[in-house]
Amino acid sequence: MEQVDVIIIGSGQGGVPLAADLASEGKRVVLFERDRLGGSCVNYGCHPSKLLLASAHAAARARRAARLGVHAEVRVDFPAVMQRVRRVRDQMSSGVGRRLEKAGVRVVRAEARFTGERTVEGGGLTVTAPLVIINTGTAPAVPPIPGLEGTPYLTNLTFFELNELPARTLVLGGGYVGLELGQGLAQLGSEVHVIEMAERLMPTEEPDVSEVLHAALEADGVRIHLGTRAERVAHENGRFSVALSNGQTLEGEALLVATGRRPNTPALNAEAAGIELDARGFIKVDDRFRTTAEGVYAIGDVTGQPAFTHVSWEDYRRLMAVLKGEARRRGDRVLGYVAFTEPQLGRAGLTLEQAQAQGYKARAATLPMKRVARAIDLDETQGFFRLVIDEETERILGATFVGYEAGELVQLIMVLMEAGAPWRVLEQSQLIHPTLAEGLPVLARQFTQ
């Protein structure tokens, strides 16, 4: 057994900067990674999907340009699209390796498991340390549908290895992953069917968000099946057949399973280290990232936090501060996220319903995109801006933006929320005409009425 200063399990967007920073301070750091360096974001999530969507959205916008009097013939070279995805992905993953090497981190390319208190084994190496950090993330949750196991179905882990565009693609799940990749394939030329058990797409979002996205996907040719589930899967001669609970059977050359996430904890042997998991298998932590085992911390979505890269990276910043004795907490931030559908969904903080459930005297204002001059100029009038405020303190509690580049705009609200600024700051602001952001003061002025 070897004694080191720090053990890190997982090379995601929190684990890598932690390893690099701690090693740069002169600590002996060992990082275990069983898969590609960089975690989900670099290899299977954020960047590969957005690389794909860059091509898909370019094709869709070229077709839509006819609305502006511009007529284009669009030809998609799908193998070239996927080659670019993998080339840039591989460059990013290699860059992570170079960063760790430069910092002096010892990388063990093997699955890690606890064998005792702050003792980890993997790849024939057993190490112990006073500080252990777990950043193992999550993986696709595959439902136990009869006939599914053993078929070449896709998840986000395997999707980006596609070389040929499927003529027909069946997508199980109408959440963020299913809609982004499903719409992307439709824009690239596949016939896409989305199957969602709930009565609307993105069922965790507000109903009018679902309505806007439903209309947009249908406009791209996506066929949507709501309130139904897959009851049986068959695969024969390169073709999937999915029997639905409504009696319908769908066929396709590809099947994408995007039905949720599960924590990467089964292989950890957490019990051996005294680390408690919750009923779903996520690691239990307090507001300073401490697990139930002394000296062991966990960050990112393996703790049940939202599965977003910026959350994991901000966990890294907070944990570094905690280790230095500073008064940072896991929850001392404004949560925001984006779904990169077209149009985009940008969210920050609370919805009106969530705010009222928490006891706020909350009020919301909504501005349709068709009232924003720049959106009219671009002919991108799908969606709306929505702001939620606390009438007692005048602080901004949240925002829901659906529309063209909504992900860029919602971050203006996040900055105001982080600063604790009242909504009147936005209402009194003079923003540049004609821009999409110019609509935000107009939105806030509704609270003066």
Side-chain angles (χ1 to χ4, degrees), residues 171-179 194-197 200-203 258-259:
V171 180
L172 300 185
Y176 313 108
V177 174
L179 295 193
V194 173
I195 303 151
E196 169 56 51
M197 292 177 59
R200 56 188 179 87
L201 299 175
M202 287 198 183
T259 51

Side-chain angles (χ1 to χ4, degrees), residues 13 167 193 206 217 254 337-338 381 391 430 443 448:
Q13 297 303 296
H193 293 256
E206 295 163 281
L217 266 73
Y337 55 89
V338 176
T381 56
E391 291 193 276
Q430 174 183 287
L443 171 67
T448 65

Side-chain angles (χ1 to χ4, degrees), residues 51-131:
L51 286 160
L52 175 91
L53 293 179
S55 299
H57 293 172
R61 290 169 186 172
R63 296 186 189 102
R64 291 200 303 267
R67 303 179 309 190
L68 307 177
V70 177
H71 300 274
E73 180 181 342
V74 177
R75 183 180 65 85
V76 172
D77 184 346
F78 189 77
V81 169
M82 299 308 290
Q83 287 170 13
R84 174 177 177 267
V85 169
R86 291 190 288 268
R87 182 178 70 253
V88 178
R89 175 199 66 183
D90 293 347
Q91 290 170 351
M92 289 182 172
S93 182
S94 296
V96 172
R98 289 191 296 271
R99 178 182 180 183
L100 293 170
E101 182 180 7
K102 182 178 180 180
V105 177
R106 183 178 178 185
V107 177
V108 179
R109 304 297 292 271
E111 186 167 75
R113 63 188 296 273
F114 286 95
T115 59
E117 183 178 329
R118 295 189 300 279
T119 302
V120 177
E121 184 275 331
L125 175 70
T126 300
V127 288
T128 185
L131 174 62

Side-chain angles (χ1 to χ4, degrees), residues 348-365 386-399 413 416-417 420-425 444 447-448:
L350 305 175
T351 64
L352 177 63
E353 183 179 6
Q354 291 168 340
Q356 291 173 339
Q358 292 186 22
Y360 289 102
K361 186 181 179 183
R363 181 183 173 192
R386 176 169 298 140
L387 198 65
V388 180
I389 66 163
D390 180 357
E391 291 193 276
E392 294 179 341
T393 65
E394 295 195 340
R395 293 184 67 167
I396 300 171
L397 299 176
I413 305 302
L416 291 173
M417 292 174 68
W423 61 266
R424 292 188 187 277
V425 170
F447 294 121
T448 65

